[in-house]
Amino acid sequence: MDDASQALTQRYRDLILEASGDGVYGVDDQGRTIFANPAAVRLCGYTFEDLIGRSPHELTHHTRPDGRHYPASECPIYAAFCDGEVHRVEDEVFWRKDGTCFPVEYISTPIIEDGRIIGAVVSFRDITKRKAAEAALEASRERTRTLEADLHHVSRLSAMGEMASGLAHELNQPLTAIVSYVRAAKRFLQGDMPDGEARAIEYVDRAADQALRAGEIIWRLRQFVLKGDGTRTFEDIGTVVGEAVSLAASAVRAPSIAISFHEGPGSNLILMDKVRIQQVVVNLVRNAVEAIGDVNDGRVDIVSKVDDADGAEVVVRDNGPGLAEEVRDQLFQSFVTSKASGMGVGLSICRSIVEEHGGRLTGEENASGGMTFRFTLPASPDNAAT
C-alpha cells in the first residue's frame, strides 16, 4: 500500500472513530489514556486535555454502582492489557466529571504489536434509555400479572356466586342436623330414661360430627375464594384435587349426576399455586356437570395420577352430549361459550393457569359421547414458568 492509500485509510479510520456514537478510548500498558473520540469526551463530560495522560479508571470508573470503591486491581479495562484477554461487561456505571453516573456496557480489547501487549482499547455505550425501557417493560409485565390475578379472582367469585344455592343447601343439612341432635340430647337429659345420659352423649357426638362437616365446607369455600399472593408451594396433587372436587360436588344440585374422584397410585409433590390449580379443577367439574344437564345416569369422573415423567396429570371426563358445533374449534378462546348466561372466559383462564405452571390443558370428545379434559403439571420446578 503506497503512502497516499495509507493516508486515506487512516483518514477513514479517524472519521469513523469521530462519527461513532459509542465512546472509544485507548490506554497504554500503564493505564494512561492515549486517545479518545468525541463521543467518549461528550458522554463523560471531560475535555480531551482532562483525559489524555490520565487514568480513565480514576476519572470515570472509580466507584461501583452500589457506591463501593472499585479497586484498579479489579478493573476489567486494565485486565485486558495485563492478561491479553477480551473483557466484556454488560452492566456497570461510568462517572461524569460533574459527579453523576450513567449505566454502560463496555468491552476492553488488548492492543498487540509485534506479539507484545502495548495497551487496550475500550468501547462503551450509554444504556440509560435501554435500562429505562427494560424497567418500563417489567412494570408493564407486573401490571399484566396483577390484572390476570384479578381476573382469576373475579372468575372464582363468579363461580362461587353461581354455586351459592347449592352450597347453601349443603350447609343447611348439617346445621339442621345439629339442631335436631342437640334438642334430642336435651330431651334425654331432662327425661327419666335409664340410658338417657348415654343417649344424650351419643347425640352430642353426632352434633359435633355435623359441626365439623359444616366447618369443612366453609373452609373449602374460604380457601377457594382467597385472592392469594401468587405464592407457590409443594403440594400433593391428589389432596389438592380431592379438596376441589369436594367443594364442587357440595354445590351440585343434580341428584341424577354422580361425581367420583379416584387418586391413582403413587404420590408426587408438585410446585404450584394451590388456589389456582383448584380453580381449574372446580371450573372443569362445573363445566362437566352443566354439560350433562338433564341426562339420566350422568357421570363425572375425576382422576389424578403421577404421569410418566413423574409430573402429575388430572383427567375430568363426563358422559354428556359433547360440544356444540359452534364452539368445537374455539374451545379455549376467550368470550366463546354455548351457555346462555356464561361469559366464555372459564376455559381460557384454566389454560392460562396451567400454562403458567409449565403444563398443558387439552380437551377432546369421547367416542361414546361427552368430553374429556386433561391437564398436566411438571414434576420439576425448573420446568415451571415461574
Side-chain angles (χ1 to χ4, degrees):
M1 184 181 296
D2 57 27
D3 292 344
S5 298
Q6 288 182 350
L8 183 60
T9 299
Q10 184 60 47
R11 177 58 179 162
Y12 279 131
R13 288 174 180 170
D14 293 341
L15 288 173
I16 292 171
L17 194 61
E18 291 177 5
S20 173
D22 292 347
V24 180
Y25 65 83
V27 294
D28 62 18
D29 58 3
Q30 299 301 310
R32 296 171 298 212
T33 305
I34 54 177
F35 72 86
N37 74 338
V41 173
R42 174 177 53 81
L43 290 170
C44 295
Y46 287 97
T47 65
F48 285 102
E49 290 74 17
D50 291 330
L51 294 174
I52 301 303
R54 300 281 302 279
S55 163
H57 182 80
E58 294 177 1
L59 294 176
T60 65
H61 200 220
H62 47 75
T63 305
R64 298 183 186 273
D66 60 6
R68 292 181 295 118
H69 174 63
Y70 205 146
S73 59
E74 298 177 10
C75 176
I77 297 171
Y78 285 6
F81 63 76
C82 294
D83 60 17
E85 301 290 335
V86 175
H87 292 264
R88 185 186 301 273
V89 178
E90 296 183 350
D91 191 6
E92 278 191 349
V93 297
F94 279 2
W95 295 85
R96 301 185 183 93
K97 186 176 182 179
D98 62 8
T100 60
C101 65
F102 59 99
V104 296
E105 63 178 13
Y106 65 86
I107 180 170
S108 181
T109 306
I111 303 173
I112 300 176
E113 184 178 63
D114 298 330
R116 185 171 64 89
I117 301 173
I118 62 173
V121 60
V122 179
S123 175
F124 67 93
R125 176 174 297 174
D126 182 349
I127 58 173
T128 300
K129 291 183 178 179
R130 189 177 79 194
K131 297 280 282 188
E134 289 173 351
L137 179 60
E138 180 55 33
S140 176
R141 286 173 175 165
E142 182 60 32
R143 287 194 297 272
T144 299
R145 287 191 289 266
T146 300
L147 290 172
E148 288 178 346
D150 289 343
L151 178 59
H152 295 168
H153 186 221
V154 168
S155 174
R156 287 198 297 277
L157 293 178
S158 175
M160 291 315 305
E162 295 176 16
M163 295 193 296
S165 175
L167 285 168
H169 174 75
E170 183 73 10
L171 280 171
N172 188 57
Q173 289 181 334
L175 294 177
T176 301
I178 289 170
V179 173
S180 299
Y181 286 137
V182 170
R183 286 176 175 171
K186 180 180 178 180
R187 287 195 301 271
F188 283 124
L189 290 174
Q190 290 175 335
D192 296 329
M193 298 176 61
D195 60 346
E197 184 175 342
R199 296 290 299 276
I201 292 174
E202 176 188 347
Y203 276 67
V204 169
D205 286 340
R206 292 185 183 182
D209 291 340
Q210 292 299 315
L212 290 174
R213 176 187 169 193
E216 289 175 358
I217 295 171
I218 294 171
W219 180 84
R220 289 196 299 265
L221 173 63
R222 181 178 180 276
Q223 292 297 309
F224 184 70
V225 298
L226 283 176
K227 184 171 183 180
D229 57 4
T231 301
R232 297 188 182 186
T233 52
F234 284 97
E235 304 285 349
D236 179 75
I237 187 64
T239 301
V240 170
V241 174
E243 290 176 358
V245 171
S246 295
L247 176 61
S250 297
V252 171
R253 301 290 301 277
S256 63
I257 299 177
I259 299 177
S260 68
F261 168 61
H262 175 69
E263 185 176 353
S267 177
N268 203 16
L269 295 179
I270 303 294
L271 185 65
M272 69 173 76
D273 182 332
K274 176 180 175 181
V275 173
R276 290 191 178 182
I277 293 302
Q278 289 186 328
Q279 178 179 0
V280 173
V281 176
V282 168
N283 278 355
L284 293 179
V285 173
R286 286 180 59 242
N287 284 351
V289 170
E290 292 173 1
I292 292 173
D294 298 328
V295 173
N296 291 327
D297 299 323
R299 289 194 58 81
V300 180
D301 298 313
I302 304 97
V303 177
S304 72
K305 57 185 178 180
V306 177
D307 67 16
D308 294 338
D310 291 329
E313 182 181 56
V314 179
V315 179
V316 179
R317 180 180 292 106
D318 68 72
N319 65 344
L323 285 175
E325 186 174 349
E326 62 268 21
V327 300
R328 190 171 298 152
D329 298 327
Q330 309 172 71
L331 193 55
F332 295 101
Q333 291 185 22
S334 298
F335 309 112
V336 175
T337 179
S338 59
K339 302 177 188 177
S341 59
M343 292 179 60
V345 296
L347 284 177
S348 175
I349 288 176
C350 288
R351 169 170 277 189
S352 125
I353 291 172
V354 171
E355 290 180 348
E356 284 173 6
H357 285 73
R360 185 165 179 258
L361 170 64
T362 59
E364 60 186 10
E365 291 191 272
N366 303 325
S368 57
M371 288 290 298
T372 294
F373 286 89
R374 66 182 75 238
F375 67 88
T376 58
L377 297 173
S380 169
D382 294 337
N383 295 333
T386 57

